Amino acid sequence: MALTPLSARPRRLLPVALVTLAFVAGACGGGGKDEASPKPTTTTKQTTTTTAPPTAPLTGLPQADAGKLTRPALMVKVDNTPKGFVQQQGIDKADIVFVEQTEQGTTRLAAVFQSQDATVGPVRSARTSDVGIAGALNHPMLAYSGANGGVLRQVRSGPLVDVGIDARSVTAIYQRNQRGGSRNLYRYFLPTADIYGARGAEGKTPPPLFHYRAAGQASAGTPANGLRVGYGGGAATVVSYAWDPALKGWARTQSNRVHVMAGGGPRIAPANVVVLVTPYRNSGFRDVTGAVSPQAVLEGGGEAWFLSDGKVVKGRWSRPGPNGAFTFTDGAGAPAALTPGQTFIELAPSVGAASIL
C-alpha cells in the first residue's frame, strides 16, 4: 500500500482562541474553579525634608538673597563724638559694630555691613585699630574719609580692600554724598550698595565670628539688667545698655543720650553685646589736635562678657595673631552662644571699665 506523504495529509487546526485557553488552563493547574490571585497592596510613604534656609555669617539670621550671602564685609568708620553721635544714620542696619577707643577718651565706630545695605554716616577717618579688626573678617572693604600718612600706609598694606575717600573707583561716591560744605567734618554719608557696586567683587566672604543658638535652644547665663562701660580718663565717654524685653535687645545709651538714628530713626538695641577687655597701646600717631592715638591690641586674649537674651555669660576671648580668627568661650571653655541678630562689641580698656548692672 502506498504511503501518503505527511505534507499531503490534511491537518486539523485548532482555533487560536482555544489554544490560548488551553495554555491558560494549564498554567493555572488542575480542575476546579479558576480564581484570580489577589494583587499585593503596597503603600508608598511620602517624606518631606525641610532644609534650613542659609544664614548670614555675621548675624546668624536667615538670608534669602544669595548675592548678599557670599559678598564681603564692608567696614565703615563712623563718628561717635557728641556732635557726630546725634547725626548718625544706618547703624541700625549693621551686622556687627565695634566700639573702639580713640583720642582723649572719645570712641569711634567700625560698623560692619554684609547682610543688608544702608546709607551710613557721618563717615570719618581710619585708625590703626581698624587693621586689626579687618584681619578677622577675611579681606573686608574699609570705608573712611581720610587718615594721616602713617595710618594710610598700614591700611593700604593691611588685609583689606581700601575703599577710602581717595581709593580707586569710589571717590565720586563720597563726593556726591556730601551734606554741607567742605569744612563740615560730618558731611559724608555713604550708600553701602554703591560701594559694593564699585569694588565689592574684590573682597571675600567673612567667616562667622560667633556661634548662634538654634531656634528654641535655651539661653545660658546669669540674669542681668544691663551693662556700663567707661572709656578714657575719668570715663570721658560712658556707654550703658539696658535689657528691653519689648525690643528683644539691649537698649543703648551713650553719655546719658538715648542712641537713636537721626531724624527720628530707630533706637539702637542690639540682640547681643560683647565686651572684650582689650589692652591699648600708643599707636605712634597723633590726631590733628596733637593727641596720642591709642591702638587696640587685638591678639593674645583676655576676659570677655557675652550679654544675650537678658543674661550675661563671663568667659574669654583669644586670638593667635592680628590676622587670625577670634575664639569666644564661656567659663567652661565651650563656645559662647549668642542670639541671632545684631551684635555690638565694646573694646573696653580694662576690666574695671565695665560693670554689670
Side-chain angles (χ1 to χ4, degrees), residues 136-207:
L137 294 171
N138 194 23
H139 219 66
M141 298 183 288
L142 174 62
Y144 58 98
S145 65
N148 69 39
V151 175
L152 278 177
R153 286 191 291 273
Q154 290 194 26
V155 167
R156 290 170 179 171
S157 63
L160 54 86
V161 177
D162 180 6
V163 291
I165 190 169
D166 296 321
R168 171 176 54 84
S169 303
V170 298
T171 300
I173 299 174
Y174 284 82
Q175 291 175 341
R176 67 173 176 260
N177 288 284
Q178 297 185 63
R179 302 177 184 178
S182 60
R183 293 187 178 183
N184 177 16
L185 295 176
Y186 314 102
R187 64 186 179 275
Y188 296 114
F189 289 79
L190 291 183
T192 60
D194 289 3
I195 300 294
Y196 274 108
R199 301 284 297 279
E202 298 176 45
K204 299 179 181 179
T205 307

Side-chain angles (χ1 to χ4, degrees), residues 252-290:
R252 191 174 193 272
T253 301
Q254 182 170 302
S255 298
N256 296 318
R257 287 183 170 179
V258 173
H259 198 170
V260 296
M261 296 296 89
R267 179 165 189 179
I268 298 301
N272 311 289
V273 180
V274 174
V275 177
L276 303 184
V277 177
T278 307
Y280 285 81
R281 66 184 178 210
N282 186 333
S283 68
F285 304 108
R286 295 178 180 270
D287 69 2
V288 293
T289 69

